[in-house]
Amino acid sequence: MLTVQSLNSSTTGRNSTVANVFMSQEFIVQFWGVRGNVPTPGSDTMRYGGNTACVEVLVAGQRIIFDGGTGLRALGKSLLDADKPIQASIFFTHTHWDRIQGFPFFRPAFTANNCFDIYGSAAANGASIKQCLMSQMLRPHFFTPLQKMSSTLTFHNILAGDVVSLDEGVTVETITLNPQTSALGFRITYSGKSLVYATDTSNIDSEHNPNLLYLAKNADLLIYGGTYSEVAFQDSTERGRFFWEKSIDLAEKSQAKEMILFHHDPEHDDDYLDQVGTEIHNRCSRIHLAHEGMILQLASVDRDA
C-alpha cells in the first residue's frame, strides 16, 4: 500500500517526487522531526533523528504541515530553493514547546510573497494560537518578534469538531484527543483516501480514547504518538512498552491500513528503537517507526482490497 523512501531533502529525488505529487492525486508524507519533548542531537540518535515534531503532507497541490517543532527549521531550509512563492497550511495539535519551538526559525516565514495559513485551538490558559506563537518570540525568550516575519500570516482559531476545507476538495477534520493539553487530532481526506495525525492522546482507564478510534477508523495511514513515555522521567522502558502494546491494539481496532509510530521518547536511542521497531513489526507487519527523512507515498491504495 505504501511506497517508503528515505531521501535527503535536498536530493533531486525529493524534488521530482514533490513536482509529481503536485500534478497528481496522490499523498506524499515526509517526516522532518520525530521526537517528543526536547531535541536530542547526538551520535546515538542519528538514524531516527533528534528534531521535534514536524510532518509535511503534499496532496493535490496543497502543502499541509503538522506541528512546528525543530523539524520545521529543516523543512524551511528545503523550501528556500523554490522558484515561486511558497504557500502552506500549518496545523498545530497544541502549543507545548516541542510543537512550536521551530517556528521562530522557519525562514520562509521571513520572506515576502510567501503565504501561510496557521490553524490552532486555544491553549489551556485561553491564549490563541497567534498569542502562543508571538509570546515565545518576545524578549527575553527570543530576539526577533513575530512582526518581523515578512510573509503573509493568516491565523485561524479552530475548535474540536471543525472541518477545514482547503482547495481542490482536500478537507481536514479536527477532534479533541487530550483535554488536559487541549491537543487536537487531524484527519486529511482527499479523493477517497485518508491520513490521520494523532500524537498526543489521553486514554480512559487504559482503553483507547473513543475520539481517537473515531478519527482513525479505516484510515489509509495513521501517524500515532505510540513510543513515548507519558510521564517524563519515570521508567520509560515499562511505560513505553505499555504504549507500544496499546499501539498494536489500536491498529487492530481502528483497522488502519498502515500505521507509523512517531513522537519518540528522547531517552530512547537508535539501537533501542531498532529493537522496539522489530518487536512491534513482527507482531503487526503494518506498523513501522518514523525516522527523519522518511517519505511515504500513498500511491496505490485499493480500499476494496
Side-chain angles (χ1 to χ4, degrees):
M1 294 179 182
L2 292 178
T3 300
V4 180
Q5 306 175 64
S6 295
L7 301 178
N8 185 293
S9 61
S10 63
T11 62
T12 303
R14 169 181 157 85
N15 292 338
S16 62
T17 299
V18 170
N20 289 338
V21 76
F22 266 55
M23 295 184 294
S24 75
Q25 296 184 352
E26 308 299 346
F27 278 103
I28 296 289
V29 184
Q30 180 158 2
F31 292 84
W32 294 92
V34 300
R35 291 282 168 178
N37 198 19
V38 65
T40 56
S43 59
D44 60 349
T45 59
M46 292 181 64
R47 293 200 307 277
Y48 286 87
N51 281 306
T52 53
C54 183
V55 175
E56 177 190 24
V57 179
L58 305 175
V59 57
Q62 309 293 306
R63 173 174 278 108
I64 301 169
I65 300 169
F66 289 125
D67 283 327
T70 56
L72 185 64
R73 173 183 173 274
L75 170 55
K77 288 180 62 179
S78 78
L79 297 176
L80 293 178
D81 293 332
D83 57 1
K84 60 181 181 179
I86 300 165
Q87 293 184 319
S89 299
I90 307 177
F91 287 83
F92 287 91
T93 53
H94 59 303
T95 54
H96 279 181
W97 196 19
D98 60 342
R99 307 307 175 110
I100 66 173
Q101 62 194 157
F103 186 75
F105 303 95
F106 185 49
R107 291 175 61 186
F110 290 89
T111 302
N113 299 322
N114 292 340
C115 298
F116 301 99
D117 285 280
I118 299 173
Y119 298 84
S121 63
N125 66 354
S128 69
I129 183 62
K130 182 177 182 180
Q131 290 171 326
C132 291
L133 294 175
M134 287 181 67
S135 63
Q136 73 164 344
M137 297 178 67
L138 295 175
R139 294 182 184 275
H141 309 298
F142 200 67
F143 49 86
T144 304
L146 184 145
Q147 289 85 346
K148 291 290 186 180
M149 289 180 161
S150 303
S151 65
T152 299
L153 302 177
T154 304
F155 293 89
H156 305 267
N157 298 316
I158 56 176
L159 300 172
D162 287 350
V163 178
V164 179
S165 297
L166 304 177
D167 292 340
E168 305 300 328
V170 177
T171 62
V172 182
E173 182 179 1
T174 69
I175 200 167
T176 185
L177 292 180
N178 192 331
Q180 294 180 334
T181 64
S182 301
L184 297 177
F186 302 105
R187 182 180 179 116
I188 302 176
T189 302
Y190 174 72
S191 190
K193 299 177 186 177
S194 57
L195 176 151
V196 171
Y197 182 80
T199 71
D200 192 81
T201 304
S202 64
N203 294 316
I204 303 172
D205 296 328
S206 299
E207 296 296 326
H208 289 297
N209 186 320
N211 285 354
L212 172 63
L213 292 174
Y214 165 80
L215 193 72
K217 185 175 178 60
N218 295 322
D220 293 300
L221 176 62
L222 169 59
I223 301 171
Y224 178 63
T227 65
Y228 194 83
S229 170
E230 188 176 64
V231 180
F233 309 119
Q234 291 193 6
D235 185 339
S236 62
T237 299
E238 290 305 313
R239 292 196 62 83
R241 182 169 298 280
F242 168 77
F243 286 101
W244 307 328
E245 296 283 350
K246 296 296 291 183
S247 299
I248 296 172
D249 186 55
L250 175 61
E252 297 299 329
K253 288 184 176 179
S254 69
Q255 289 299 296
K257 293 179 174 58
E258 302 288 342
M259 185 170 174
I260 302 295
L261 299 186
F262 168 82
H263 195 241
H264 304 317
D265 192 315
E267 297 299 317
H268 296 164
D269 61 20
D270 288 335
D271 291 342
Y272 188 69
L273 288 174
D274 280 345
Q275 296 175 16
V276 171
T278 298
E279 179 179 343
I280 293 176
H281 189 69
N282 286 342
R283 294 181 56 185
C284 185
S285 61
R286 64 181 185 272
I287 301 179
H288 306 268
L289 266 62
H291 61 81
E292 283 182 34
M294 176 187 280
I295 296 177
L296 306 178
Q297 184 171 359
L298 281 71
S300 297
V301 180
D302 182 357
R303 298 187 65 89
D304 297 323

